[in-house]
Amino acid sequence: MILHNIETESRGYIEELQLGRLKQTVNSVFNKVPFYRKKFLESNITPEDINSLDDIQKLPFTVKADLREHYPFGLFAVEKKEIVRLHASSGTSGKPTVVGYTRKDIQMWSTLIARAITIGGGLPGQTLHNAYGYGLFTGGLGLHYGSEQLGMATVPISGGNTDRQIMLIQDFEPEVICGTPSYILNLAEKMEEQGIDPASTSIKYGIFGAEPWSEEMKHTLERKLGIKACDIYGLSEVLGPGVAMECHEAQNGLHIAEDHFYAEVIDPIKMKPLPSGEEGELVFTSLTKEAFPVIRYRTGDIASLSKEKCGCGRTTIRMSHVKGRIDDMLNINGVNVFPSEIERCIFRIQELAPHYQIHVTQKGSLKALELQCEWSDGFYRNMVQPELVKKKIQQMLKHHCFISIALEIHPPKTLPRSEGKAVRIVNRLKENAVT
Ligand code: DLL
């Protein structure tokens, strides 16, 4: 179901719409947010300099530290009395980053989520089980408002309390489930433990995101639950979920909501835009937000863009699945590895369960990785030559990731399970005071 015309408009129409909205946004932040005005003037830019979409490259970037420095409301473009919602994301240290929404922003976000749900296969009249966390995190309430707007019976279950979730899935018979992929995997395994086949429920579509997940994780979820799983992307600084959504028809990348966001991919070192197809850091400029507009916000997420028309008929630019965050890229003695690459390997090894944590440690004076994982139930029941199997796994990891990774394989169901965003990397260097 295609909910909104923009999704199949010509590129010319979309780009003209974007240019008009970009001009308005630049004008608005220049006049209403002293931070942007100062930065634009330092770069010798005024709103009159924006006459084409390429002119966006004249504008300075915005980064997470800018939000922290202006905590809590310093980058808002409206008075506080116009704000109807605040969300925040907790940082690893210090103050959170705070974002605000006017009533119109919430309406726009709900419309975008309603659109995203239909892109992912949901329809009005159906039931949506929303296992994203409710609270300051944008996942729960973001999906909730869009699902209601679409006309779905929305179950605001949030994350955790898994036994109760299983009961309600059986009783309420939702067609759509939303949550982080790691939590939904946890939920499916709990069902299996209770003797319930996760593929036997009413669920047909999954809308999963908020953390990087590999194709292998997707296949595992689709197989276990007997559903189509689609990727939803977003970040609180730019909006929350709904910035881009993968279609259930082609499942070949995520359609960016181009009527509300202008996307770029840049080389994060040279800070220059990269052509379509090349992998780099995603950068977004909001085109319609009132309370918290962002100009060239550097997301820290690695992906590429594609302008090719999608098999589903939509014409909007697609982004690839996010490979990982730049901060999560593990540089082990000159070799770069993303946790998602290690995940792909683990999911292919039948002797291992699909759960893991990567510990960054030290071996002599060098950085090293230690992979904490679990034997699969099937293999553990009749373990044959585990040391030999461990060696084989180590070789596979080396072949795939080009570095040696130490392995700790635990009995099944011993690693912590996710109830929201999974913690994949544990940095033990800090304890040892090595950088
Ligand atoms: O995670 C918003 C969201 C909620 C997206 C529900 C999708 C579903 P934040 O908490 O601000 O917002 O975290 C944003 O999460 O910069 C990415 O690193 C990561 N992320 C979000 N979606 C995906 C995805 C929400 N589909 C940060 N794939 C982003 C990979 C994702 N990473």
Side-chain angles (χ1 to χ4, degrees):
M1 173 173 163
I2 294 189
L3 199 64
H4 195 281
N5 280 337
I6 184 77
E7 294 181 77
T8 49
E9 283 292 354
S10 68
R11 293 298 318 153
Y13 177 90
I14 294 173
E15 284 165 18
E16 203 175 308
L17 181 80
Q18 285 188 310
L19 179 58
R21 292 182 171 181
L22 175 66
K23 285 181 180 175
Q24 278 170 12
T25 300
V26 170
N27 217 18
S28 163
V29 298
F30 187 77
N31 291 310
K32 295 179 184 163
V33 187
F35 161 80
Y36 283 115
R37 185 185 190 89
K38 184 164 171 274
K39 281 206 8 173
F40 288 6
L41 291 176
E42 278 166 7
S43 310
N44 275 325
I45 301 286
T46 65
E48 289 69 46
D49 294 311
I50 305 298
N51 297 306
S52 74
L53 283 177
D54 283 344
D55 286 340
I56 202 165
Q57 291 170 30
K58 297 175 182 166
L59 297 170
F61 293 104
T62 310
V63 292
K64 205 177 183 94
D66 294 324
L67 273 68
R68 291 229 168 84
E69 273 165 31
H70 296 84
Y71 176 86
F73 308 136
L75 298 188
F76 286 13
V78 298
E79 281 184 50
K80 184 140 173 265
K81 63 178 188 220
E82 288 181 62
I83 300 289
V84 300
R85 173 98 63 82
L86 292 166
H87 279 286
S89 61
S90 51
T92 40
S93 60
K95 300 277 191 192
T97 47
V98 180
V99 293
Y101 306 78
T102 62
R103 194 171 300 284
K104 202 167 151 217
D105 289 332
I106 295 288
Q107 273 159 8
M108 175 276 275
W109 190 13
S110 307
T111 306
L112 262 195
I113 292 289
R115 193 201 293 180
I117 295 170
T118 59
I119 296 177
L123 290 170
Q126 296 181 335
T127 299
L128 181 141
H129 181 97
N130 187 11
Y132 283 117
Y134 280 63
L136 286 175
F137 171 55
T138 51
L141 285 171
L143 263 294
H144 184 102
Y145 273 61
S147 168
E148 282 191 354
Q149 167 141 338
L150 184 60
M152 300 183 90
T154 309
V155 187
I157 188 83
S158 196
N161 213 340
T162 307
D163 288 345
R164 195 177 169 77
Q165 302 229 7
I166 294 171
M167 183 185 81
L168 294 188
I169 287 172
Q170 291 183 303
D171 295 346
F172 293 177
E173 301 187 331
E175 286 85 357
V176 180
I177 189 165
C178 305
T180 60
S182 58
Y183 179 61
I184 302 299
L185 181 62
N186 179 5
L187 182 83
E189 289 188 346
K190 281 268 164 56
M191 282 186 181
E192 287 169 341
E193 278 168 44
Q194 295 180 12
I196 302 163
D197 176 3
S200 69
T201 75
S202 53
I203 302 169
K204 294 190 186 70
Y205 296 102
I207 297 181
F208 306 145
E211 62 184 6
W213 52 308
S214 60
E215 273 298 301
E216 283 70 10
M217 166 76 111
K218 176 184 212 148
H219 294 321
T220 302
L221 289 169
E222 291 193 324
R223 185 174 35 79
K224 268 191 193 292
L225 290 150
I227 59 169
K228 263 195 181 179
C230 292
D231 195 1
I232 185 164
Y233 172 81
L235 60 167
S236 52
E237 298 91 316
V238 173
L239 177 75
V243 174
M245 177 71 207
E246 184 174 35
C247 62
H248 71 282
E249 296 97 339
Q251 289 186 296
N252 188 17
L254 294 80
H255 292 271
I256 292 175
E258 283 191 279
D259 39 350
H260 299 283
F261 304 101
Y262 183 81
E264 298 169 86
V265 163
I266 62 159
D267 176 327
I269 312 282
K270 295 185 189 143
M271 310 254 278
K272 291 270 176 261
L274 291 170
S276 257
E278 278 191 38
E279 211 169 63
E281 180 178 1
L282 280 168
V283 171
F284 285 101
T285 298
S286 69
L287 300 175
T288 54
K289 277 169 68 182
E290 284 185 337
F292 192 81
V294 279
I295 302 291
R296 302 193 88 194
Y297 185 75
R298 292 185 59 182
T299 63
D301 294 322
I302 301 290
S304 60
L305 297 177
S306 164
K307 283 188 177 169
E308 273 172 39
K309 191 172 170 178
C310 179
C312 70
R314 291 180 178 85
T315 47
T316 38
I317 286 185
R318 275 169 297 148
M319 57 178 258
S320 64
H321 300 285
V322 170
K323 190 172 178 185
R325 292 191 55 75
I326 295 176
D327 339 328
D328 287 346
M329 187 176 76
L330 302 158
N331 182 301
I332 303 300
N333 312 316
V335 181
N336 291 334
V337 191
F338 279 100
S340 58
E341 286 163 337
I342 297 177
E343 176 176 299
R344 293 182 61 188
C345 220
I346 293 171
F347 276 64
R348 285 191 208 149
I349 300 169
Q350 61 180 29
E351 290 91 349
L352 293 182
H355 300 281
Y356 66 97
Q357 258 188 351
I358 302 161
H359 289 209
V360 184
T361 62
Q362 187 195 354
K363 201 172 168 191
S365 58
L366 297 176
K367 244 196 224 175
L369 291 188
E370 187 180 286
L371 181 61
Q372 303 277 339
C373 46
E374 283 177 8
W375 294 116
S376 63
D377 273 330
F379 182 73
Y380 194 69
R381 249 179 268 129
N382 309 298
M383 274 225 273
V384 183
Q385 297 188 306
E387 279 311 312
L388 214 71
V389 176
K390 192 171 165 185
K391 230 183 200 152
K392 184 190 84 182
I393 297 171
Q394 243 158 350
Q395 276 164 0
M396 271 186 76
L397 284 166
K398 185 160 189 183
H399 177 76
H400 197 78
C401 304
F402 308 110
I403 51 165
S404 296
I405 302 177
L407 258 187
E408 280 275 335
I409 313 182
H410 303 275
K413 304 185 178 54
T414 41
L415 290 181
R417 294 296 190 260
S418 153
E419 298 213 324
K421 296 191 189 224
V423 177
R424 296 300 191 196
I425 301 174
V426 177
N427 188 354
R428 294 196 344 224
L429 286 178
K430 281 180 199 144
E431 297 162 19
N432 302 337
V434 176
T435 52

